[in-house]
Structure formats: C-alpha cells, structure tokens
Amino acid sequence: MKTPVQFDKSTPIKGAAETIFSLSSAPGRSGVSVFRVSGPACEAVIRALTLQKCPKPRYAALRTLWDGSNPIDEALTLWFPAPASFTGENCVEFQTHGSAAVVQGLSRALLALGLKQADPGEFTRRAVQNGKMDLTEAEGLADLIDAQSEGQRVQALRQMGGGLRELYEGWRENILDALAQIEGEIDFPDEGDIPDGLSHRAYEPLTKLILDMQKARQDMGRGAAVRSGLDIAIIGAPNAGKSTLINALTRRDIAITSPEAGTTRDIVEAQMIMAGLPITLSDTAGLRDTDNVIEAEGVRRAKKRSSEAEITIYVVRLGFTEFDPSIMASLSDNDIIYINTSGLDDDLQSALDISLQYPAQTIHSNLVDDDGEVVIYQRLERIISDNFSIGQEAGLTRERHGDCVLRAEGALERARSQLGISPELAGDDLRSALRAISELAGESDIEAVFDRIFSRFCVGK
Ligand SMILES: Nc1nc2c(ncn2[C@@H]2O[C@H](COP(=O)(O)OP(=O)(O)OP(=O)(O)O)[C@@H](O)[C@H]2O)c(=O)[nH]1
Ligand SMILES: [Mg+2]
C-alpha cells in the first residue's frame, strides 16, 4: 500500500553533498523564480519537499513545497531524470513565486537537506564534464547570456549550437588521417604493400590544414570584436569639434562644448549599438603640447585610447586648428578623418587635397548646419559591417581559442618538417597538435582552464 512519504530531517539524504542548487533566475522581486537542483539526491529532494513521489519526467506538476510542516510556496515542479537533463545528472527545477521570502525559504530548506549552493557556472561545468556539450559550446552559452546586441546573440547562438566544434572536428579528422599515413610507414617500414614515402602524402593536407588554421586565427579579430564590442575614439586638436561630434552622434548632450580651447580634459564615453555591435564611443581631450599637468594627462589618455581603439575619428578644423601630419599618416582605411568645415569658406579645396594624401576615409561637413553626423554614422556602420561584423561561419572568438590553434599550428609545422626524415617525430608532433585541439574542446585534463572559464559564469547557469 502506498503511503505519502514523510521526510525525516534527522537522516541526511544520500548524495546531498554532491547535489547543487541555485536560484537560476535573476534575484529580486519578480513574478516567478526558477530554482535548479542537480545531482544524485534529486529524487529524495523532491520527496522531502513535496511529500509526494516524483512527477512524470519532463511534465510540469503543481506541488506544495514544505519545510518540515511549514509550507514554503506552491511551485511548478519539473523532474528531469539523468541523462536527459541539462547537466546530464538527475535534475529538478522548481518555479516558485518570485518574492525574496520564498527564495530565502526554499534556499534554507535545500541547505537543511544538506545540498550545496552551486558555484558560478557549476551547472554548465557539470554538463561539459558529462559530455552534454563541449567547452566551446559552454562558452557560447556564456556569451549568449551576456549578449547585448543582435550580432553577439547570433554569434553566441552559433557557437553554442556547435559551430566551432564542427570546425575543429574537421581539423581533428585531417590530423588523424595524416597520423594514420605516418604510422603506416612506422609500423610497416619494410613491407612491400606499403608504398615508399607514404608519409610524404601527408605534406599537402598538412599544408592546407596549417593555412586553414592561420586563416581562422586571422579572422579571430572579427569574432573577438563581436564578443567584446568595439572602441571608437574621437581625437583632434582643441576646439576641432570633438565634443560637438559625440553629442551629435549620440543625440545627447553628454560632453561640454565651448569656444574655449581645452574644454574636455578627461575621456567622456558613450555606449551605443552600431551595425549590431556594442560600441563604446570616446570623446577625448584636445591634442596639444601643454605645461598644464592635468591637461597633459588628458592628452596622454587621448592618445592611449586612440591607439587601443578599433576605429579612430580624427577631427580636423582647418583654419582654426593645426592638424598633425604624423597622426594623419598613422590612420588606416578603417579610420575616419573628419574635416569640420564650419567657418571654412574658400579653403575647401585644401581640405580635399589633404584627404587625397592619406588612406583614412575622409568626410567633410559641418555638423551643426549640414547634418554631417548622419554621414559619419553611416560611414562608421559600413566600416564596422565590412571589417568587424560577424562572418558567415563560426570561428574563434576568444584568446583561449587562438592560443590552442596557434599551438596546434606550430606542432603541425614541426610535423611537416619531419616528414620523410623521422616519421616517429612527425607522429609525436601530430599527437601534440591533437592535444591542443582537445584542449580547445575542453576534453583534456584542464581543471585550471575550467576554473577560469566557469568562474565568469553567473550563478545558476
Ligand atoms: N557651427 C558649427 N560650430 C561648431 C561645429 N563643431 C564645433 N563647433 C563649435 O566649435 C566650438 C568647439 O567645439 P567643441 O566640440 O567644444 O570642440 P572640442 O574639439 O571638443 O574641443 P576641446 O574639448 O577643447 O578639445 C564650440 O563652440 C562648438 O559649438 C560645427 O560643426 N558647426
Ligand atoms: Mg571637447
């Protein structure tokens, strides 16, 4: 005969210490809060809290949650037996009302059962350890949670869906093929049915692979820019119109403008989205030699910001301010020279002459009278979508990826140089390349990498 299961708090639940829980929705007052629990004690947790047996797997069931004889709340209870769960372990999810008191009450009850509060990213870490996803997919998931713009969302979703995994699985296949050929030569050096110089056949595929990896690393700038956003710095001489420009581009009065040279002393930042990417736009102090310590510090910061920015807008106001040919010469196709033509009557020709000499894209206009900021905005969007926006295929997005691929590449180059000389050494190098790929995937023993990556996750994921 079935009787309701009464939970005796004095007996600890088996496996409770390895079972983690966390509030997975944002803390604070809300309509609904979501608690996640993962680990061996889930069934016992459901029985202890609901005083009933587990609901049908993956069906929502309304249950009262109890802390001993005190009801905590009514909650939708979802039971995900292993392995068909996010972490690959037994999991349960409670959707409660989103009040601070309910969240505290349920947390207290779970702690009393001996469960452990999850560390940041611990659910995802368990998912990776249980083979539910690889490390690159977990990173994609973290990026998706952090995504603030359309481009970031698309890139993260692609990586989370295994786009990067497909790329490196292809590389791994190629390395294994080359290894098979080389090992053929090692294992059967004298057998007539193994043609001479078998390992030489690996030369071309290895070369192609090295080039593919190099290209992936070169394209990494795009992926990284999408992930972390872009910096655009506005620089120029005092009074050139930099602060007027940032105000016009953001359509906000964020920087003080005045006819007095040296108005802006520090960096003024504005956040915006352009071409689907998050942008930090910085107005800076006017560049000039000065004895004033504070202003000089402002100038130093302005130069530093520009050197770190992906795009620089150099504002020049001919006739009013000097322009610096060395800055002009340091600009690239991805930068903009903005010739502020306000107050410029007959000197337009010299503005055009200047623009022809330098590679940066030149725009002349008068912001206040000509809507010049619209032209600048459109030009920026084009530069961003041509150079920094998300590519058609999944690629590398983090320094960690670049490091692993660089190591794989180095090992492949060494292997290639040993072909026909020492197949044994070539084989060792190919195995090093495979290890670098495994590290990219998060398969090798890399607790330190795990710690670094998952500590940046939010709690509850
Ligand atoms: N009519 C007109 N006036 C402008 C334009 N751009 C700037 N000005 C004026 O020029 C003066 C200087 O502009 P700011 O934007 O303060 O110059 P800045 O480059 O930020 O100068 P510092 O902060 O001193 O380095 C202000 O009085 C602006 O109103 C423009 O396109 N048209
Ligand atoms: Mg200014």
PDB file of all heavy atoms in Angstrom, residues 237-244 257-264 285-286 317 338 340 342 366-369, ligand 1:
ATOM      1  N   ALA A 237      42.725  68.262 -32.381  1.00  0.00           N
ATOM      2  CA  ALA A 237      43.235  69.414 -31.639  1.00  0.00           C
ATOM      3  C   ALA A 237      42.119  70.048 -30.797  1.00  0.00           C
ATOM      4  O   ALA A 237      40.938  69.805 -31.062  1.00  0.00           O
ATOM      5  CB  ALA A 237      43.785  70.436 -32.630  1.00  0.00           C
ATOM      6  N   PRO A 238      42.471  70.837 -29.795  1.00  0.00           N
ATOM      7  CA  PRO A 238      41.442  71.540 -29.030  1.00  0.00           C
ATOM      8  C   PRO A 238      40.586  72.383 -29.971  1.00  0.00           C
ATOM      9  O   PRO A 238      41.101  72.931 -30.957  1.00  0.00           O
ATOM     10  CB  PRO A 238      42.246  72.458 -28.082  1.00  0.00           C
ATOM     11  CG  PRO A 238      43.590  71.822 -27.992  1.00  0.00           C
ATOM     12  CD  PRO A 238      43.829  71.148 -29.302  1.00  0.00           C
ATOM     13  N   ASN A 239      39.294  72.420 -29.697  1.00  0.00           N
ATOM     14  CA  ASN A 239      38.351  73.232 -30.467  1.00  0.00           C
ATOM     15  C   ASN A 239      38.021  72.683 -31.854  1.00  0.00           C
ATOM     16  O   ASN A 239      37.367  73.362 -32.645  1.00  0.00           O
ATOM     17  CB  ASN A 239      38.890  74.657 -30.654  1.00  0.00           C
ATOM     18  CG  ASN A 239      38.137  75.615 -29.765  1.00  0.00           C
ATOM     19  OD1 ASN A 239      37.150  75.212 -29.146  1.00  0.00           O
ATOM     20  ND2 ASN A 239      38.589  76.847 -29.692  1.00  0.00           N
ATOM     21  N   ALA A 240      38.494  71.483 -32.163  1.00  0.00           N
ATOM     22  CA  ALA A 240      38.231  70.947 -33.503  1.00  0.00           C
ATOM     23  C   ALA A 240      36.754  70.589 -33.674  1.00  0.00           C
ATOM     24  O   ALA A 240      36.241  70.521 -34.796  1.00  0.00           O
ATOM     25  CB  ALA A 240      39.103  69.720 -33.737  1.00  0.00           C
ATOM     26  N   GLY A 241      36.082  70.310 -32.555  1.00  0.00           N
ATOM     27  CA  GLY A 241      34.663  69.956 -32.637  1.00  0.00           C
ATOM     28  C   GLY A 241      34.405  68.512 -32.225  1.00  0.00           C
ATOM     29  O   GLY A 241      33.404  67.911 -32.605  1.00  0.00           O
ATOM     30  N   LYS A 242      35.274  67.955 -31.401  1.00  0.00           N
ATOM     31  CA  LYS A 242      35.135  66.544 -30.985  1.00  0.00           C
ATOM     32  C   LYS A 242      33.914  66.335 -30.087  1.00  0.00           C
ATOM     33  O   LYS A 242      33.137  65.403 -30.281  1.00  0.00           O
ATOM     34  CB  LYS A 242      36.399  66.089 -30.223  1.00  0.00           C
ATOM     35  CG  LYS A 242      37.680  66.263 -31.014  1.00  0.00           C
ATOM     36  CD  LYS A 242      38.898  65.860 -30.223  1.00  0.00           C
ATOM     37  CE  LYS A 242      39.203  66.759 -29.033  1.00  0.00           C
ATOM     38  NZ  LYS A 242      39.434  68.186 -29.364  1.00  0.00           N
ATOM     39  N   SER A 243      33.772  67.224 -29.121  1.00  0.00           N
ATOM     40  CA  SER A 243      32.653  67.059 -28.193  1.00  0.00           C
ATOM     41  C   SER A 243      31.336  67.320 -28.910  1.00  0.00           C
ATOM     42  O   SER A 243      30.325  66.648 -28.651  1.00  0.00           O
ATOM     43  CB  SER A 243      32.802  67.998 -26.994  1.00  0.00           C
ATOM     44  OG  SER A 243      34.024  67.704 -26.331  1.00  0.00           O
ATOM     45  N   THR A 244      31.358  68.278 -29.835  1.00  0.00           N
ATOM     46  CA  THR A 244      30.154  68.531 -30.630  1.00  0.00           C
ATOM     47  C   THR A 244      29.798  67.274 -31.423  1.00  0.00           C
ATOM     48  O   THR A 244      28.630  66.908 -31.554  1.00  0.00           O
ATOM     49  CB  THR A 244      30.407  69.720 -31.598  1.00  0.00           C
ATOM     50  OG1 THR A 244      30.916  70.810 -30.842  1.00  0.00           O
ATOM     51  CG2 THR A 244      29.143  70.133 -32.321  1.00  0.00           C
ATOM     52  N   THR A 257      30.603  71.484 -24.583  1.00  0.00           N
ATOM     53  CA  THR A 257      31.288  72.108 -25.721  1.00  0.00           C
ATOM     54  C   THR A 257      31.409  73.600 -25.430  1.00  0.00           C
ATOM     55  O   THR A 257      30.547  74.166 -24.756  1.00  0.00           O
ATOM     56  CB  THR A 257      30.485  71.947 -27.027  1.00  0.00           C
ATOM     57  OG1 THR A 257      29.242  72.630 -26.874  1.00  0.00           O
ATOM     58  CG2 THR A 257      30.231  70.496 -27.354  1.00  0.00           C
ATOM     59  N   SER A 258      32.486  74.209 -25.940  1.00  0.00           N
ATOM     60  CA  SER A 258      32.608  75.669 -25.771  1.00  0.00           C
ATOM     61  C   SER A 258      33.674  76.173 -26.729  1.00  0.00           C
ATOM     62  O   SER A 258      34.525  75.403 -27.184  1.00  0.00           O
ATOM     63  CB  SER A 258      32.999  76.000 -24.327  1.00  0.00           C
ATOM     64  OG  SER A 258      34.402  75.947 -24.205  1.00  0.00           O
ATOM     65  N   PRO A 259      33.625  77.468 -27.019  1.00  0.00           N
ATOM     66  CA  PRO A 259      34.638  78.029 -27.924  1.00  0.00           C
ATOM     67  C   PRO A 259      36.020  78.071 -27.269  1.00  0.00           C
ATOM     68  O   PRO A 259      37.006  78.388 -27.929  1.00  0.00           O
ATOM     69  CB  PRO A 259      34.145  79.464 -28.188  1.00  0.00           C
ATOM     70  CG  PRO A 259      32.781  79.549 -27.622  1.00  0.00           C
ATOM     71  CD  PRO A 259      32.631  78.470 -26.612  1.00  0.00           C
ATOM     72  N   GLU A 260      36.092  77.756 -26.006  1.00  0.00           N
ATOM     73  CA  GLU A 260      37.376  77.801 -25.313  1.00  0.00           C
ATOM     74  C   GLU A 260      38.187  76.543 -25.618  1.00  0.00           C
ATOM     75  O   GLU A 260      37.657  75.425 -25.448  1.00  0.00           O
ATOM     76  CB  GLU A 260      37.099  77.873 -23.816  1.00  0.00           C
ATOM     77  CG  GLU A 260      38.268  78.371 -23.019  1.00  0.00           C
ATOM     78  CD  GLU A 260      37.851  78.552 -21.558  1.00  0.00           C
ATOM     79  OE1 GLU A 260      36.876  79.307 -21.323  1.00  0.00           O
ATOM     80  OE2 GLU A 260      38.468  77.924 -20.699  1.00  0.00           O
ATOM     81  N   ALA A 261      39.408  76.703 -26.049  1.00  0.00           N
ATOM     82  CA  ALA A 261      40.228  75.529 -26.346  1.00  0.00           C
ATOM     83  C   ALA A 261      40.599  74.820 -25.048  1.00  0.00           C
ATOM     84  O   ALA A 261      40.928  75.487 -24.056  1.00  0.00           O
ATOM     85  CB  ALA A 261      41.494  75.951 -27.079  1.00  0.00           C
ATOM     86  N   GLY A 262      40.550  73.514 -25.048  1.00  0.00           N
ATOM     87  CA  GLY A 262      40.910  72.759 -23.838  1.00  0.00           C
ATOM     88  C   GLY A 262      39.726  72.539 -22.917  1.00  0.00           C
ATOM     89  O   GLY A 262      39.897  72.400 -21.709  1.00  0.00           O
ATOM     90  N   THR A 263      38.516  72.483 -23.476  1.00  0.00           N
ATOM     91  CA  THR A 263      37.327  72.292 -22.633  1.00  0.00           C
ATOM     92  C   THR A 263      37.294  70.871 -22.061  1.00  0.00           C
ATOM     93  O   THR A 263      37.094  70.670 -20.873  1.00  0.00           O
ATOM     94  CB  THR A 263      36.039  72.533 -23.458  1.00  0.00           C
ATOM     95  OG1 THR A 263      36.108  73.838 -23.992  1.00  0.00           O
ATOM     96  CG2 THR A 263      34.792  72.357 -22.616  1.00  0.00           C
ATOM     97  N   THR A 264      37.485  69.885 -22.917  1.00  0.00           N
ATOM     98  CA  THR A 264      37.430  68.498 -22.451  1.00  0.00           C
ATOM     99  C   THR A 264      38.795  68.110 -21.911  1.00  0.00           C
ATOM    100  O   THR A 264      39.803  68.281 -22.597  1.00  0.00           O
ATOM    101  CB  THR A 264      37.036  67.554 -23.615  1.00  0.00           C
ATOM    102  OG1 THR A 264      35.863  68.069 -24.232  1.00  0.00           O
ATOM    103  CG2 THR A 264      36.790  66.140 -23.120  1.00  0.00           C
ATOM    104  N   ALA A 285      40.404  64.575 -24.744  1.00  0.00           N
ATOM    105  CA  ALA A 285      40.960  65.927 -24.611  1.00  0.00           C
ATOM    106  C   ALA A 285      41.673  66.335 -25.905  1.00  0.00           C
ATOM    107  O   ALA A 285      42.280  65.499 -26.564  1.00  0.00           O
ATOM    108  CB  ALA A 285      41.961  65.947 -23.453  1.00  0.00           C
ATOM    109  N   GLY A 286      41.609  67.631 -26.248  1.00  0.00           N
ATOM    110  CA  GLY A 286      42.273  68.110 -27.460  1.00  0.00           C
ATOM    111  C   GLY A 286      43.785  67.902 -27.375  1.00  0.00           C
ATOM    112  O   GLY A 286      44.395  68.138 -26.334  1.00  0.00           O
ATOM    113  N   ARG A 317      39.858  70.833 -37.982  1.00  0.00           N
ATOM    114  CA  ARG A 317      39.086  72.038 -38.339  1.00  0.00           C
ATOM    115  C   ARG A 317      40.044  73.026 -38.976  1.00  0.00           C
ATOM    116  O   ARG A 317      40.738  73.783 -38.276  1.00  0.00           O
ATOM    117  CB  ARG A 317      38.461  72.618 -37.083  1.00  0.00           C
ATOM    118  CG  ARG A 317      37.334  73.561 -37.395  1.00  0.00           C
ATOM    119  CD  ARG A 317      36.534  73.742 -36.146  1.00  0.00           C
ATOM    120  NE  ARG A 317      35.520  74.739 -36.295  1.00  0.00           N
ATOM    121  CZ  ARG A 317      34.907  75.267 -35.256  1.00  0.00           C
ATOM    122  NH1 ARG A 317      35.224  74.898 -34.043  1.00  0.00           N
ATOM    123  NH2 ARG A 317      33.980  76.164 -35.459  1.00  0.00           N
ATOM    124  N   TYR A 338      37.711  63.418 -40.148  1.00  0.00           N
ATOM    125  CA  TYR A 338      36.513  64.249 -40.286  1.00  0.00           C
ATOM    126  C   TYR A 338      36.951  65.701 -40.368  1.00  0.00           C
ATOM    127  O   TYR A 338      37.492  66.253 -39.409  1.00  0.00           O
ATOM    128  CB  TYR A 338      35.568  64.003 -39.097  1.00  0.00           C
ATOM    129  CG  TYR A 338      34.518  65.082 -38.966  1.00  0.00           C
ATOM    130  CD1 TYR A 338      33.720  65.430 -40.064  1.00  0.00           C
ATOM    131  CD2 TYR A 338      34.341  65.777 -37.781  1.00  0.00           C
ATOM    132  CE1 TYR A 338      32.782  66.431 -39.964  1.00  0.00           C
ATOM    133  CE2 TYR A 338      33.404  66.779 -37.670  1.00  0.00           C
ATOM    134  CZ  TYR A 338      32.632  67.103 -38.776  1.00  0.00           C
ATOM    135  OH  TYR A 338      31.713  68.104 -38.696  1.00  0.00           O
ATOM    136  N   ASN A 340      35.985  69.185 -40.245  1.00  0.00           N
ATOM    137  CA  ASN A 340      34.875  70.020 -39.801  1.00  0.00           C
ATOM    138  C   ASN A 340      34.943  71.332 -40.582  1.00  0.00           C
ATOM    139  O   ASN A 340      35.858  72.124 -40.403  1.00  0.00           O
ATOM    140  CB  ASN A 340      35.041  70.254 -38.297  1.00  0.00           C
ATOM    141  CG  ASN A 340      33.895  71.034 -37.702  1.00  0.00           C
ATOM    142  OD1 ASN A 340      33.113  71.639 -38.419  1.00  0.00           O
ATOM    143  ND2 ASN A 340      33.818  71.020 -36.385  1.00  0.00           N
ATOM    144  N   SER A 342      32.965  73.882 -40.559  1.00  0.00           N
ATOM    145  CA  SER A 342      32.264  75.059 -40.052  1.00  0.00           C
ATOM    146  C   SER A 342      33.230  76.232 -40.004  1.00  0.00           C
ATOM    147  O   SER A 342      34.349  76.105 -39.507  1.00  0.00           O
ATOM    148  CB  SER A 342      31.659  74.792 -38.677  1.00  0.00           C
ATOM    149  OG  SER A 342      32.617  74.911 -37.685  1.00  0.00           O
ATOM    150  N   ASN A 366      29.755  70.087 -41.946  1.00  0.00           N
ATOM    151  CA  ASN A 366      29.544  70.948 -40.804  1.00  0.00           C
ATOM    152  C   ASN A 366      28.385  70.323 -40.032  1.00  0.00           C
ATOM    153  O   ASN A 366      27.286  70.198 -40.543  1.00  0.00           O
ATOM    154  CB  ASN A 366      29.163  72.328 -41.356  1.00  0.00           C
ATOM    155  CG  ASN A 366      28.885  73.310 -40.248  1.00  0.00           C
ATOM    156  OD1 ASN A 366      28.563  72.932 -39.127  1.00  0.00           O
ATOM    157  ND2 ASN A 366      29.016  74.571 -40.577  1.00  0.00           N
ATOM    158  N   LEU A 367      28.702  69.864 -38.833  1.00  0.00           N
ATOM    159  CA  LEU A 367      27.690  69.120 -38.073  1.00  0.00           C
ATOM    160  C   LEU A 367      26.445  69.944 -37.811  1.00  0.00           C
ATOM    161  O   LEU A 367      25.324  69.504 -38.014  1.00  0.00           O
ATOM    162  CB  LEU A 367      28.255  68.744 -36.694  1.00  0.00           C
ATOM    163  CG  LEU A 367      29.429  67.792 -36.659  1.00  0.00           C
ATOM    164  CD1 LEU A 367      29.844  67.597 -35.227  1.00  0.00           C
ATOM    165  CD2 LEU A 367      29.020  66.478 -37.286  1.00  0.00           C
ATOM    166  N   VAL A 368      26.703  71.149 -37.338  1.00  0.00           N
ATOM    167  CA  VAL A 368      25.578  71.945 -36.856  1.00  0.00           C
ATOM    168  C   VAL A 368      24.659  72.338 -38.014  1.00  0.00           C
ATOM    169  O   VAL A 368      23.441  72.281 -37.902  1.00  0.00           O
ATOM    170  CB  VAL A 368      26.105  73.181 -36.103  1.00  0.00           C
ATOM    171  CG1 VAL A 368      24.954  74.054 -35.626  1.00  0.00           C
ATOM    172  CG2 VAL A 368      26.961  72.729 -34.924  1.00  0.00           C
ATOM    173  N   ASP A 369      25.260  72.646 -39.156  1.00  0.00           N
ATOM    174  CA  ASP A 369      24.416  73.158 -40.236  1.00  0.00           C
ATOM    175  C   ASP A 369      24.082  72.122 -41.315  1.00  0.00           C
ATOM    176  O   ASP A 369      23.174  72.316 -42.092  1.00  0.00           O
ATOM    177  CB  ASP A 369      25.092  74.385 -40.887  1.00  0.00           C
ATOM    178  CG  ASP A 369      25.552  75.370 -39.807  1.00  0.00           C
ATOM    179  OD1 ASP A 369      24.741  75.621 -38.892  1.00  0.00           O
ATOM    180  OD2 ASP A 369      26.700  75.834 -39.855  1.00  0.00           O
TER     181      ASP A 369
HETATM  182  N1  LIG B   1      28.711  75.943 -36.451  1.00  0.00           N
HETATM  183  C1  LIG B   1      29.423  74.933 -36.004  1.00  0.00           C
HETATM  184  N2  LIG B   1      30.114  75.055 -34.840  1.00  0.00           N
HETATM  185  C2  LIG B   1      30.828  74.015 -34.396  1.00  0.00           C
HETATM  186  C3  LIG B   1      30.899  72.763 -35.094  1.00  0.00           C
HETATM  187  N3  LIG B   1      31.700  71.920 -34.407  1.00  0.00           N
HETATM  188  C4  LIG B   1      32.124  72.621 -33.320  1.00  0.00           C
HETATM  189  N4  LIG B   1      31.604  73.859 -33.305  1.00  0.00           N
HETATM  190  C5  LIG B   1      31.833  74.881 -32.273  1.00  0.00           C
HETATM  191  O1  LIG B   1      33.221  74.955 -32.000  1.00  0.00           O
HETATM  192  C6  LIG B   1      33.498  75.111 -30.615  1.00  0.00           C
HETATM  193  C7  LIG B   1      34.420  73.992 -30.122  1.00  0.00           C
HETATM  194  O2  LIG B   1      33.740  72.761 -30.214  1.00  0.00           O
HETATM  195  P1  LIG B   1      33.985  71.567 -29.212  1.00  0.00           P
HETATM  196  O3  LIG B   1      33.121  70.461 -29.685  1.00  0.00           O
HETATM  197  O4  LIG B   1      33.843  72.019 -27.818  1.00  0.00           O
HETATM  198  O5  LIG B   1      35.499  71.257 -29.519  1.00  0.00           O
HETATM  199  P2  LIG B   1      36.436  70.125 -28.912  1.00  0.00           P
HETATM  200  O6  LIG B   1      37.188  69.523 -30.044  1.00  0.00           O
HETATM  201  O7  LIG B   1      35.648  69.209 -28.078  1.00  0.00           O
HETATM  202  O8  LIG B   1      37.440  70.981 -28.045  1.00  0.00           O
HETATM  203  P3  LIG B   1      38.249  70.620 -26.707  1.00  0.00           P
HETATM  204  O9  LIG B   1      37.331  69.918 -25.789  1.00  0.00           O
HETATM  205  O10 LIG B   1      38.682  71.933 -26.197  1.00  0.00           O
HETATM  206  O11 LIG B   1      39.411  69.763 -27.131  1.00  0.00           O
HETATM  207  C8  LIG B   1      32.133  75.116 -29.928  1.00  0.00           C
HETATM  208  O12 LIG B   1      31.761  76.441 -29.692  1.00  0.00           O
HETATM  209  C9  LIG B   1      31.219  74.467 -30.944  1.00  0.00           C
HETATM  210  O13 LIG B   1      29.891  74.935 -30.834  1.00  0.00           O
HETATM  211  C10 LIG B   1      30.150  72.655 -36.313  1.00  0.00           C
HETATM  212  O14 LIG B   1      30.172  71.638 -36.990  1.00  0.00           O
HETATM  213  N5  LIG B   1      29.437  73.741 -36.727  1.00  0.00           N
END
